[in-house]
Amino acid sequence: MRYRTLAGGKGPEVSILCLGILPFGSTVDEQTSFAVLDRFAEAGGTFVDTSNNYSLWAPGGTGDESELLLGRWLRSRGARDRTVVATKVGARPPVGSTRIWPEVWEGLSAKVVAAGIEGSLRRLGTDHVDLYYAHIEDRAVPVAETVGAFAEVVRSGAARVIGASNHAAWRVAEARQYAAAHGLPAYTCVEQRHTYLWPVPGGEWGAQWYARDDMQDFVAAHDDMTLMAYGSLVHGAYSRADKPLLPPYDHPMSQRRLEVLREVAREAGATPNQTVLAWQMGGPLPIVPVVGVSSVAQLDEVLGAVELDLDPALRARLDAA
């Protein structure tokens, strides 16, 4: 395994791959979830990503399932001290709502953030998380209120570093500027969709944001920031014929890039999935892919990307396609 340190060297050291456990405890059963987490840890993986709303959309889901499962695994393995835990707040439905995300979410008020961290710590069975995200931007709440609420979470010791997920680049910049002006902790991690394929202009996923040029440029310009890339493997479409491209990616430019990706993967002796992850991890932008798997076999393929160093000529072909 390889590692990088968050927050410009001031945050926790994390494995270069992050294991996203969105379906664990709901559509992925506990036995399989534990086996995947065990294998990840055995391979040197230390970074695990969850949220306080995973997976409320699954049959019978409440949003507590993923955090609860991770808490059980951490306790049963005595693994808390060697696991970097990231979770999120803001995308649960408001208390008493009959509608759920993505129709409605509770947002990022100070009250929600304070209650959110308390609930997450209880479910995870820990006294702090290592990375705490504002899950979906909330333009109805003043940035000062949200930044202040996250600063209080850090001040209390309940989180080590903070980040933003599914935010516009200008909103992250605004929050960081406010934090700097008031001597408060700033967002240093951004979690967005990002992969080798580009979505069509305007192609988005509702409340979910793609890390477009403006976000990538912003991260690159600040040496304390890291991009956490989710959706890296486009839900299996790079490797499985039965998994069509998501509509925002399904356009002529993608077909050309897919051809080049598969050519480069063959020449590198790797799978397309491994090649995409190696392209992300080995590029000039500080990227940690957040990969979701549902079996140990899938994880083993992903782990094969860690030691894959793309030849500069192959990387140049991927970039130029």
Side-chain angles (χ1 to χ4, degrees):
M1 185 59 67
R2 298 178 180 179
Y3 303 88
R4 75 164 72 238
T5 304
L6 302 181
K10 297 178 181 178
E13 181 183 72
V14 300
S15 51
I16 193 67
L17 281 175
C18 178
L19 181 63
I21 63 167
L22 178 151
F24 286 16
S26 52
T27 55
V28 177
D29 64 69
E30 184 151 326
Q31 181 179 359
T32 303
S33 300
F34 273 42
V36 172
L37 284 160
D38 287 343
R39 175 70 184 105
F40 186 61
E42 175 190 346
T46 62
F47 194 13
V48 180
D49 179 272
T50 184
S51 175
N52 73 346
N53 73 324
Y54 292 165
S55 297
L56 58 83
W57 48 86
T62 65
D64 293 349
E65 290 80 9
S66 180
E67 288 185 331
L68 285 171
L69 182 136
L70 180 57
R72 292 193 294 273
W73 180 81
L74 291 169
R75 288 191 297 275
S76 69
R77 303 308 194 252
R80 181 62 187 97
D81 289 346
R82 59 181 185 272
T83 305
V84 179
V85 175
T87 193
K88 311 176 189 75
V89 64
R92 289 174 76 98
V95 175
S97 174
T98 59
R99 295 186 297 159
I100 65 170
W101 184 92
E103 295 178 54
V104 64
W105 54 87
E106 60 188 351
L108 296 171
S109 69
K111 181 179 179 180
V112 165
V113 173
I117 191 63
E118 180 181 345
S120 288
L121 296 182
R122 182 177 64 252
R123 287 184 289 273
L124 291 164
T126 185
D127 63 356
H128 75 283
V129 296
D130 301 285
L131 170 56
Y132 199 42
Y133 285 107
H135 199 165
I136 299 174
E137 72 172 52
D138 182 358
R139 299 186 185 180
V141 172
V143 67
E145 180 176 346
T146 299
V147 171
F150 272 82
E152 178 57 25
V153 172
V154 174
R155 187 207 61 77
S156 71
R160 294 180 62 186
V161 295
I162 57 176
S165 178
N166 301 308
H167 279 55
W170 69 267
R171 291 285 290 181
V172 177
E174 181 183 26
R176 280 174 55 94
Q177 288 168 357
Y178 180 86
H182 293 82
L184 301 175
Y187 296 146
T188 56
C189 299
V190 176
E191 187 171 15
Q192 311 275 90
R193 281 188 178 271
H194 179 272
T195 187
Y196 177 61
L197 300 181
W198 279 89
V200 293
E204 299 292 354
W205 294 262
Q208 300 176 5
W209 286 74
Y210 192 89
R212 294 184 180 274
D213 281 344
D214 57 347
M215 182 63 83
Q216 293 185 41
D217 290 345
F218 187 75
V219 171
H222 297 86
D223 60 11
D224 64 334
M225 295 195 71
T226 307
L227 174 63
M228 312 301 182
Y230 73 88
S232 299
L233 303 182
V234 291
H235 303 268
Y238 286 128
S239 58
R240 292 176 53 178
D242 64 324
K243 292 286 188 177
L245 286 176
L246 298 174
Y249 293 125
D250 193 5
H251 53 87
M253 181 180 175
S254 290
Q255 299 308 315
R256 171 58 184 158
R257 295 207 108 189
L258 284 170
E259 290 175 11
V260 173
L261 171 63
R262 289 162 182 159
E263 291 170 2
V264 167
R266 284 193 296 269
E267 293 180 36
T271 67
N273 284 342
Q274 291 168 342
T275 303
V276 169
L277 295 174
W279 174 80
Q280 288 182 319
M281 293 184 290
L285 197 67
I287 294 178
V288 175
V290 181
V291 292
V293 300
S294 56
S295 70
V296 172
Q298 290 176 357
L299 177 62
D300 282 338
E301 180 194 3
V302 165
L303 291 171
V306 172
E307 301 301 327
L308 176 60
D309 292 315
L310 290 175
D311 181 274
L314 295 181
R315 177 176 293 278
R317 281 169 55 190
L318 289 171
D319 291 339

